[in-house]
Amino acid sequence: DAKTTQPPSMDCAEGRAANLPCNHSTISGNEYVYWYRQIHSQGPQYIIHGLKNNETNEMASLIITEDRKSSTLILPHATLRDTAVYYCIVVNTNAGKSTFGDGTTLTVKP
Amino acid sequence: DAGVTQSPTHLIKTRGQQVTLRCSPKSGHDTVSWYQQALGQGPQFIFQYYEEEERQRGNFPDRFSGHQFPNYSSELNVNALLLGDSALYLCASSWNSDSLRGYTFGSGTRLTVV
């Protein structure tokens, strides 16, 4: 499974966009990029996923570079409740196994 | 619609003992994955069960074993507990036929080994 690299921490002002980067330079053709977040003392929560096209849902947008070696999760209008650890993972859906790194701790400040 | 349910929420065991953790998947899900999350780290994949069989396994010793029942619920067993087994154990469920929708995680079982 491809490994991912994320900055350990980021801050964002409330109401502004939060852009969380992720490097996955060893990703293979059949691996998807998934993003989850984990609020303290809870299990991870699915946010969004993509293969090679940009994706958007009610929670966030996912931008994947053309070479698929990196991606960015965008929270368009961050709120205090978005403070959490955000994990970028790559998943081979045929195998089902997924590997989490240590994630990015996003702190949204008033 | 109930999400993923894990029990117990917390427990304390003594080194060398055995422990069983339980997971009920989200309604309609047929695949269960188990993860170990040490303090300050991301979840580490232990194994995944589908159709009552272990389908994939991460880098965990044989002390870690599991089972899936016909109703899709699952158990994680850890034998000969070590202090380093202290962690949050997470269960995640999904549809095998539509795994692209991602996993639904439970809130975990906090295991402390003393």
Side-chain angles (χ1 to χ4, degrees):
Chain A
D1 284 349
K3 296 189 69 173
T4 62
T5 304
Q6 299 177 253
S9 63
M10 294 182 64
D11 291 341
C12 178
E14 187 178 19
R16 303 295 294 271
N19 297 281
L20 292 90
C22 178
N23 284 318
H24 31 78
S25 58
T26 59
I27 193 170
S28 60
N30 61 349
E31 289 183 317
Y32 287 73
V33 179
Y34 277 73
W35 282 82
Y36 287 81
R37 72 180 182 185
Q38 188 173 27
I39 297 170
H40 184 62
S41 298
Q42 297 181 21
Q45 174 193 21
Y46 166 81
I47 301 173
I48 198 168
H49 75 276
L51 182 63
K52 53 183 177 182
N53 297 321
N54 297 337
E55 302 288 345
T56 296
N57 63 20
E58 65 278 5
M59 291 183 67
S61 295
L62 174 61
I63 308 298
I64 302 175
T65 58
E66 192 169 343
D67 63 7
R68 303 212 320 126
K69 293 184 177 182
S70 65
S71 61
T72 301
L73 178 75
I74 301 172
L75 307 178
H77 306 287
T79 71
L80 298 179
R81 289 180 297 178
D82 290 323
T83 292
V85 179
Y86 286 78
Y87 295 101
C88 164
I89 65 172
V90 290
V91 179
N92 180 334
T93 55
N94 292 327
K97 189 163 63 172
S98 54
T99 302
F100 286 73
D102 291 338
T104 296
T105 298
L106 173 69
T107 302
V108 180
K109 298 183 175 181
Chain B
D1 183 20
V4 176
T5 304
Q6 293 188 243
S7 62
T9 55
H10 298 80
L11 77 164
I12 300 173
K13 289 286 189 178
T14 302
R15 190 171 44 183
Q17 284 188 315
Q18 179 264 345
V19 68
T20 297
L21 310 181
R22 295 176 176 82
C23 172
S24 293
K26 182 178 179 179
S27 178
H29 285 185
D30 57 7
T31 303
V32 173
S33 304
W34 286 93
Y35 294 81
Q36 180 194 67
Q37 186 173 25
L39 198 61
Q41 298 181 17
Q44 300 299 307
F45 176 78
I46 303 175
F47 42 54
Q48 182 180 82
Y49 276 84
Y50 171 66
E51 291 189 337
E52 302 179 48
E53 296 285 336
E54 182 182 292
R55 181 163 65 176
Q56 286 289 321
R57 189 179 184 92
N59 296 321
F60 280 81
D62 292 344
R63 298 186 298 109
F64 290 77
S65 63
H67 188 77
Q68 185 178 36
F69 299 93
N71 67 353
Y72 308 121
S73 67
S74 178
E75 289 182 348
L76 164 66
N77 301 293
V78 186
N79 295 322
L81 284 167
L82 305 173
L83 296 179
D85 294 332
S86 295
L88 179 68
Y89 287 84
L90 294 162
C91 168
S93 70
S94 58
W95 287 282
N96 178 65
S97 61
D98 193 5
S99 58
L100 293 181
R101 296 193 188 189
Y103 298 162
T104 300
F105 282 82
S107 295
T109 294
R110 173 72 63 185
L111 172 65
T112 302
V113 182
V114 298

